[in-house]
Amino acid sequence: GKNQLCEDEYAYDVSLRLARSLLEHGALVYMIVRDPDDGLRSGSYLPCDYDEYCWGNYKIPRNQKSRLYQRSDAINKLYEYHKKQGIKDQNQTTIVIHIDSRGTSENTDVFFYYYPGSSRSRKMAKNIQSSLAKKYKSLSELKQSSNLQ
């Protein structure tokens, strides 16, 4: 339609909601990508902007490979910092949220990836997947029973 949709705006909104929930449960949360003027939003369409920055106050490069290296470096520095404080590996977790745009005729699902060979990582991915499936099933049942669209 008339609205421009930027995937990163929706991923940031979802990430902030997840961060809030994790904080409510006592987690220490770092937002590696930050947007100084965006927060949790209620609009149907989120406006696009390009003022996000990476942890450490670094401008995010437009090149995808450079962007991934920048984020990985930030995560690894935080990991090492907390490891030196005695925080064990199994108590440090990285969650990456990415949203791909799709055409209205293409249905896709939520995908979960985990570190190969890590039963902890696999279990966590399966738990998140199961939780989402239950919540969306409940939402779908609610919509059907109340005739909501």
Side-chain angles (χ1 to χ4, degrees):
K2 301 178 256 179
N3 297 296
Q4 180 181 6
L5 303 178
C6 293
E7 298 165 17
D8 67 307
E9 299 299 330
Y10 292 88
Y12 189 68
D13 189 73
V14 170
S15 298
L16 286 173
R17 293 171 193 277
L18 175 60
R20 180 176 62 185
S21 180
L22 290 169
L23 287 166
E24 288 171 353
H25 288 87
L28 173 62
V29 177
Y30 291 94
M31 295 290 294
I32 300 303
V33 174
R34 296 174 164 207
D35 193 322
D37 59 355
D38 291 341
L40 296 177
R41 296 171 278 176
S42 60
S44 296
Y45 298 101
L46 305 179
C48 300
D49 63 25
Y50 300 97
D51 60 350
E52 298 85 6
Y53 59 92
C54 187
W55 179 261
N57 229 10
Y58 296 106
K59 182 178 179 182
I60 296 176
R62 303 303 298 163
N63 175 278
Q64 182 179 7
K65 190 174 180 180
S66 298
R67 214 170 34 244
L68 292 173
Y69 276 117
Q70 182 187 54
R71 291 177 190 170
S72 295
D73 289 345
I75 291 166
N76 288 334
K77 285 177 186 172
L78 287 168
Y79 167 80
E80 289 299 330
Y81 171 77
H82 288 291
K83 187 174 180 178
K84 286 178 184 173
Q85 291 185 327
I87 307 293
K88 297 183 181 189
D89 290 354
Q90 65 267 25
N91 294 326
Q92 296 195 56
T93 302
T94 299
I95 300 172
V96 178
I97 296 175
H98 175 77
I99 297 174
D100 277 329
S101 60
R102 304 284 185 204
T104 55
S105 63
E106 185 179 351
N107 287 329
T108 57
D109 206 340
V110 177
F111 297 95
F112 295 88
Y113 301 94
Y114 50 89
Y115 192 78
S118 169
S119 60
R120 180 180 168 273
S121 177
R122 184 176 190 276
K123 182 179 177 182
M124 185 181 301
K126 292 284 187 186
N127 285 343
I128 295 170
Q129 183 180 36
S130 174
S131 178
L132 278 175
K134 287 176 190 171
K135 289 183 183 212
Y136 278 98
K137 182 179 179 185
S138 299
L139 181 60
S140 177
E141 289 169 354
L142 174 66
K143 285 181 179 181
Q144 288 174 357
S145 68
S146 61
N147 255 347
L148 296 175
Q149 292 294 326

